[in-house]
């Protein structure tokens, strides 16, 4: 599907969608808790739908009523391959959860997930007594529990998702678990994981993000839980306000552990007018200038930051390029290629992405099957000088199905 976005002035209010990162974790943990939980404001992203499907296959009874899930937890061996769609979090999280069962479970996926590296899953679970095999570093993954526990070592330099899975599964190991972690990136995502575990009754001792201790025998307890708004999706519309008018985004917690709330810092560095209130964030257009930003712990911000930097006077430098290689696309190369098509010069120098702000022209770009690329090019086009046609725009459904509808409420000028 193609979408056309024309230069437009934006003005209005949107409600941030549910955080898929929080929702996926909450659904998984509630499905492990014996008893009935209700999860509110889960959203309708593809990744959340995948988590629901996988948990049902693992034996949880899940009733969907509008934006609420009623989950009767308790896991059992699935009768089929667990299809994780294109969700990297789901496959890494549910691989660990499946290891708490006492027979073989196979996990696979589709699209870009089939090419994403899974070796860290095999290594980490294998160190805790799980039989685990992968296909030359890729999906499918075959998991054969039980999870024995003990000491595990995790390399956190590529993704924190493997650690998230191990943390969530560890209370169900046969013995206490100690996880040693080196070079952990995206620390805020681990905070989300441990906060959710605590909310459902399990404690984790975090020793400076280098070591995690989890006592065996703890069990998740059912509860009601409301999923907070998504800073990752909201970041695009906050940028839209900075470059093209005025945008108010509701349903955002300034106290959130989500990594991407630091978009507020980047907007301030660039010179945007940012106002933070109890129940919403408002951003207004202003003269923008290049800025320096470290996105090592928040790599999902690279696409909206590039959209912002494209309309800043001068040069912007964003640190953390290596965190982009294993996403839905090679996001570093994709941003260089697609923004280059519409007149923005981007260079990669080691860990730095250097964007020179300029005049954005119209043209045809591709999402490369990456939801954040589709959203970034759409937002950047608002302050350009010609229409941008986005091929593969339907991929926004992975995280933000209503993205173009929300854009329409602010502009009423896209096709």
């Amino acid at each position: 599907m193609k979408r056309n976005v024309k230069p437009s002035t934006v003005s209005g209010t949107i409600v941030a969608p549910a955080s898929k990162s929080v929702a996926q974790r909450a659904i998984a943990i509630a499905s492990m808790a014996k008893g009935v939980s209700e999860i509110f404001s889960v959203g309708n992203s593809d990744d959340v739908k995948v988590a629901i499907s996988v948990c049902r296959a693992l034996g949880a009874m899940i009733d969907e009523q509008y934006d609420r899930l009623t989950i009767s937890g308790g896991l059992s061996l699935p009768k089929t391959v667990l299809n994780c769609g294109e969700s990297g979090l789901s496959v890494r999280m549910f691989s660990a959860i499946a290891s708490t069962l006492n027979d073989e479970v196979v996990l696979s996926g589709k699209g870009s997930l089939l090419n994403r590296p899974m070796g860290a899953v095999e290594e980490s679970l294998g160190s805790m007594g799980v039989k685990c095999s992968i296909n030359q570093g890729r999906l499918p993954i075959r998991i054969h529990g039980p999870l024995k526990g003990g000491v595990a070592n995790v390399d956190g330099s590529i993704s924190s998702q493997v650690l998230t899975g191990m943390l969530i599964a560890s209370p169900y190991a046969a013995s206490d678990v100690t996880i040693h972690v080196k070079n952990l990136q995206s620390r805020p995502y681990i905070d989300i994981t441990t906060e959710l575990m605590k909310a459902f009754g399990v404690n984790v001792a975090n020793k400076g993000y280098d070591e995690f201790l989890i006592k065996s025998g703890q069990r998740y307890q059912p509860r009601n839980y409301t999923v907070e708004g998504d800073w990752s999706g909201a970041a695009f519309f906050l940028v839209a306000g900075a470059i093209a008018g005025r945008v108010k985004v509701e349903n955002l917690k300034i106290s959130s552990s989500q990594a991407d709330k630091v978009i507020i810092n980047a907007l301030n560095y660039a010179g945007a007018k940012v106002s933070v209130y109890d129940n919403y964030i408002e951003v207004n257009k202003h003269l923008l200038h290049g800025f320096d930003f470290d996105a090592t712990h928040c790599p999902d911000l690279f696409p909206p930051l590039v959209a912002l930097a494209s309309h800043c006077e001068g040069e912007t430098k964003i640190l953390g390029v290596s965190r982009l290689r294993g996403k839905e696309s090679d996001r570093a190369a994709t941003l260089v290629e697609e923004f280059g098509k519409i007149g923005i010069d981007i260079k990669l120098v080691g860990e730095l992405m250097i964007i020179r702000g300029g005049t954005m022209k119209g043209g045809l770009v591709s999402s490369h099957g990456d939801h954040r690329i589709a959203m970034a090019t759409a937002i950047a086009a608002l302050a350009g000088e010609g229409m941008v046609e986005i091929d593969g725009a339907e991929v926004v459904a992975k995280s933000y199905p209503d993205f173009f509808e929300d854009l329409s409420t602010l502009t009423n000028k896209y096709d």
Side-chain angles (χ1 to χ4, degrees):
M1 179 181 75
K2 292 182 179 179
R3 289 280 193 179
N4 297 330
V5 181
K6 302 173 183 177
S8 306
T9 298
V10 297
S11 181
T13 302
I14 64 162
V15 178
S19 166
K20 72 181 182 71
S21 294
V22 175
Q24 286 174 274
R25 288 166 170 82
I27 292 165
I29 292 172
S31 295
M32 297 176 74
K34 289 187 177 180
V36 178
S37 299
E38 288 195 316
I39 311 297
F40 300 92
S41 302
V42 295
N44 62 342
S45 68
D46 286 352
D47 280 6
V48 167
K49 292 176 182 177
V50 161
I52 293 170
S53 175
V54 170
C55 286
R56 281 175 171 157
L58 283 167
M61 302 292 291
I62 302 179
D63 179 44
E64 298 180 66
Q65 299 175 1
Y66 181 55
D67 209 19
R68 181 184 71 185
L69 301 179
T70 302
I71 301 177
S72 298
L75 303 187
S76 58
L77 282 170
K79 298 178 181 179
T80 185
V81 173
L82 301 180
N83 185 349
C84 295
E86 294 193 71
S87 173
L89 172 58
S90 281
V91 75
R92 293 174 177 124
M93 179 171 64
F94 287 115
S95 292
I97 291 171
S99 76
T100 65
L101 304 173
N102 292 332
D103 209 334
E104 184 175 89
V105 179
V106 181
L107 301 94
S108 192
K110 66 179 184 179
S112 61
L113 190 61
L114 296 174
N115 296 316
R116 294 171 77 169
M118 296 294 156
V121 175
E122 181 181 38
E123 294 168 8
S124 59
L125 291 178
S127 66
M128 291 203 293
V130 178
K131 296 178 182 177
C132 181
S133 63
I134 53 178
N135 179 28
Q136 297 182 334
R138 301 292 189 268
L139 293 177
I141 301 176
R142 294 181 179 274
I143 302 291
H144 197 304
L147 184 66
K148 295 180 180 179
V151 179
N153 296 295
V154 175
D155 181 355
S157 62
I158 297 176
S159 172
S160 65
Q161 293 172 349
V162 173
L163 177 57
T164 278
M166 293 180 68
L167 287 168
I168 290 173
S170 287
Y172 291 73
S175 62
D176 294 349
V177 173
T178 300
I179 305 174
H180 296 292
V181 186
K182 65 177 183 179
N183 197 21
L184 178 61
Q185 308 297 324
S186 299
R187 289 183 179 183
Y189 289 97
I190 297 305
D191 293 335
I192 292 173
T193 299
T194 56
E195 286 171 8
L196 270 161
M197 292 173 69
K198 184 175 182 180
F200 283 84
V202 168
N203 291 313
V204 177
N206 178 354
K207 306 293 185 179
Y209 298 94
D210 296 320
E211 182 180 84
F212 295 84
L213 308 176
I214 306 96
K215 288 288 187 181
S216 174
Q218 298 184 83
R219 293 294 181 262
Y220 295 115
Q221 303 301 313
R223 62 158 294 177
N224 295 345
Y225 186 86
T226 300
V227 177
E228 64 184 77
D230 181 35
W231 280 92
S232 302
F236 291 97
F237 285 107
L238 296 174
V239 168
I243 65 175
R246 179 188 65 84
V247 174
K248 182 189 296 184
V249 183
E250 299 177 340
N251 192 35
L252 291 175
K253 282 175 55 180
I254 197 64
S255 61
S256 173
S257 291
Q258 292 181 54
D260 292 348
K261 73 177 184 181
V262 295
I263 186 63
I264 290 178
N265 297 344
L267 289 164
N268 281 318
Y269 298 157
K273 290 184 177 180
V274 182
S275 301
V276 179
Y277 299 92
D278 289 341
N279 58 348
Y280 65 91
I281 312 295
E282 183 174 321
V283 180
N284 286 265
K285 182 180 177 180
H286 197 246
L287 182 64
L288 301 174
H289 50 78
F291 58 95
D292 293 346
F293 193 82
D294 185 351
T296 301
H297 292 292
C298 50
D300 285 345
L301 278 186
F302 263 89
L305 288 174
V306 169
L308 174 64
S310 298
H311 298 288
C312 290
E313 183 179 347
E315 196 171 78
T316 294
K317 297 178 181 178
I318 308 173
L319 184 66
V321 166
S322 63
R323 302 300 318 286
L324 301 177
R325 304 299 185 187
K327 299 293 184 179
E328 285 80 355
S329 66
D330 178 343
R331 230 170 242 170
T334 300
L335 286 166
V336 171
E337 178 181 353
E338 298 309 317
F339 275 80
K341 292 177 181 178
I342 48 180
I344 301 300
D345 179 52
I346 302 176
K347 290 183 171 58
L348 304 177
V349 182
E351 278 293 297
L352 281 178
M353 178 177 286
I354 303 172
I355 306 104
R356 178 159 292 280
T359 301
M360 179 169 289
K361 61 184 182 180
L364 173 65
V365 298
S366 170
S367 71
H368 291 248
D370 190 327
H371 53 133
R372 301 196 195 281
I373 299 299
M375 291 188 279
T377 51
I379 293 302
L382 295 171
E385 292 190 346
M387 185 175 72
V388 173
E389 184 178 18
I390 305 164
D391 192 18
E394 72 279 358
V395 76
V396 299
K398 179 173 172 37
S399 63
Y400 198 159
D402 297 328
F403 173 80
F404 284 104
E405 286 68 25
D406 283 351
L407 182 60
S408 177
T409 67
L410 299 176
T411 66
N412 290 314
K413 293 181 180 179
Y414 81 92
D415 296 329

